[in-house]
């Protein structure tokens, strides 16, 4: 079976969100993309008080200056499509009240006919935490754990009841419910031993960033080994995030980063990553496009090249 391909939706300031999100979503579904994805950034410190990913002195990308709300973006995409799955890569869990996020995801799933995939993470920006989080940065992992618990409770049968550090739900009817008998899949990264254990024990799937096929293969082997060691019986779903940079002219020679270059080069990288055995790769192309038409054109060219390359 061919690896599924997903596409990022337009969330940046170069886009007209109300017009371009539905247009790109429809076009992506028509092209053949199996899923549509959003990410979350809530502010851009000026100047940044913390480097990108917490690395001192590393500049934040300019496209982080304005990022449309992920769930509103997915709602616009849901209304314009029929089949494509609707995913988050990722929502920063501690920036959300667990009960409210669980209900929002369930409502989106019900409205879209059961198409939501919840990629969750803990984030890295202390400035975003200072502005929006429900707990201090140091407690971010505990919030993610509770959010997963609350989602499982809210998405399950009534009466819903839960008692946690942040959330108390007295026995209640809580709706709407997700459409599928098996509720919304939860995907997590695995960037540390603790995160890997959380993934294996509590999540439906794994959402890494594609940084090269060899590295991905090693990470995927570690996930499967951990799953076997911890007695997990159900399979681990997998969606790789590919942060692509499209340039129409061929770039040759050593040192080309993964997913950077023309359509054929990006397709070559997609094929190498797909060969690792992952189920799906989502392409982040929206940040580098100048407008919605360019995004649609690039998405079509890369998809055609990927299928020609056997992806």
């Amino acid at each position: 079976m061919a690896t599924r391909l997903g596409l990022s939706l337009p969330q940046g300031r170069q886009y007209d969100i109300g017009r371009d999100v539905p247009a790109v979503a429809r076009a992506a579904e028509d092209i053949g993309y199996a899923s549509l994805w959003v990410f979350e950034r809530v502010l851009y410190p000026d100047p940044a008080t913390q480097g990108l990913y917490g690395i001192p002195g590393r500049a934040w990308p300019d496209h982080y200056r304005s990022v449309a709300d992920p769930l509103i973006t997915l709602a616009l995409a849901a209304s314009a499509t029929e089949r494509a799955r609707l995913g988050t890569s990722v929502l920063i869990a501690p920036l959300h009240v667990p009960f409210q996020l669980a209900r929002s995801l369930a409502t989106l799933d019900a409205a879209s006919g059961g198409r939501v995939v919840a990629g969750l993470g803990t984030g890295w920006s202390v400035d975003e935490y200072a502005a929006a989080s429900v707990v201090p940065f140091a407690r971010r992992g505990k919030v993610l754990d509770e959010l997963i618990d609350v989602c499982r409770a809210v998405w399950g049968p009534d009466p819903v009841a839960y008692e946690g550090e942040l959330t108390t739900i007295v026995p209640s009817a809580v709706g709407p419910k997700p459409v599928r008998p098996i509720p919304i899949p939860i995907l997590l990264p695995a960037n540390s031993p603790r995160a890997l254990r959380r993934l294996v024990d509590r999540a439906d799937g794994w959402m890494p960033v594609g940084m090269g096929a060899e590295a991905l293969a090693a990470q995927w082997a570690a996930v499967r080994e951990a799953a076997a060691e911890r007695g997990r019986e159900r399979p681990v779903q997998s969606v790789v995030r590919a942060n692509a940079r499209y340039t129409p002219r061929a770039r040759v020679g050593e040192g080309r980063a993964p997913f950077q270059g023309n359509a054929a080069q990006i397709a070559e990288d997609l094929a190498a990553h797909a060969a690792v055995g992952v189920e799906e790769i989502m392409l982040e192309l929206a940040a580098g496009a100048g407008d919605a038409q360019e995004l649609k054109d690039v998405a079509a060219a890369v998809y055609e090249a990927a299928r020609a390359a056997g992806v």
Side-chain angles (χ1 to χ4, degrees):
M1 178 182 292
T3 301
R4 296 191 302 266
L5 294 179
L7 182 69
S8 58
L9 287 168
Q11 293 176 265
R13 59 180 176 173
Q14 71 268 45
Y15 299 108
D16 180 320
I17 300 302
R19 179 192 65 202
D20 292 344
V21 171
V24 170
R26 281 192 296 269
E29 191 173 71
D30 290 342
I31 290 166
Y33 283 95
S35 55
L36 303 165
W37 297 84
V38 293
F39 74 107
E40 184 164 44
R41 288 263 73 86
V42 298
L43 51 74
Y44 182 101
D46 191 17
T49 57
Q50 182 189 34
L52 182 68
Y53 309 136
I55 301 171
R58 188 169 184 178
W60 288 36
D62 190 65
H63 69 268
Y64 283 0
R65 288 183 179 273
S66 177
V67 178
D69 179 272
L71 295 185
I72 292 175
T73 302
L74 283 184
L76 289 167
S79 68
T81 55
E82 297 179 353
R83 302 178 303 279
R85 289 155 55 246
L86 307 165
T88 62
S89 175
V90 295
L91 293 179
I92 304 169
L95 305 188
H96 300 269
V97 175
F99 180 75
Q100 292 179 348
L101 181 58
R103 288 199 67 248
S104 294
L105 290 169
T107 300
L108 181 60
D109 194 69
S112 66
R115 294 190 277 148
V116 173
V117 180
L120 306 175
T122 55
W124 48 265
S125 170
V126 295
D127 299 304
E128 290 184 327
Y129 270 73
S133 72
V134 296
V135 299
F137 185 78
R139 294 174 57 199
R140 60 196 183 279
K142 291 184 177 179
V143 180
L144 177 55
D145 286 332
E146 181 158 323
L147 174 60
I148 294 171
D149 287 340
V150 171
C151 285
R152 301 296 193 205
V154 167
W155 299 342
D158 294 328
V160 174
Y162 181 80
E163 181 69 38
E165 195 172 336
L166 298 170
T167 311
T168 298
I169 308 173
V170 300
S172 306
V174 181
K177 300 292 186 185
V179 169
R180 292 157 288 189
I182 300 175
I184 298 167
I186 292 177
L187 308 183
L188 301 175
N191 299 324
S192 69
R194 183 174 180 179
L196 179 57
R197 291 192 297 271
R198 180 188 288 120
L199 162 68
V200 169
D201 293 347
R202 315 203 58 212
D204 299 290
W206 177 48
M207 177 166 276
V209 175
M211 301 296 290
E214 185 175 345
L216 181 68
Q219 294 167 357
W220 187 215
V223 170
R224 289 179 292 176
E225 181 180 347
E229 289 177 351
R230 300 182 73 81
R232 179 175 173 134
E233 296 182 355
R234 61 193 176 107
V236 178
Q237 300 176 31
S238 52
V239 180
V240 177
R241 180 185 179 91
N243 293 317
R245 181 180 172 189
Y246 174 80
T247 53
R249 293 185 179 180
R251 299 168 61 190
V252 297
E254 298 295 328
R256 182 177 66 86
F259 306 111
Q260 296 194 13
N262 60 25
Q265 290 170 322
I266 293 173
E268 178 183 337
D269 294 333
L270 287 169
H273 284 70
V276 171
V278 295
E279 297 173 292
E280 185 164 355
I281 303 174
M282 63 82 59
L283 276 162
E284 164 51 68
L285 289 167
D291 56 29
Q293 187 59 54
E294 181 181 349
L295 175 56
K296 290 186 285 187
D297 291 345
V298 172
V302 171
Y303 186 90
E304 181 179 355
R307 291 315 187 203
V311 180

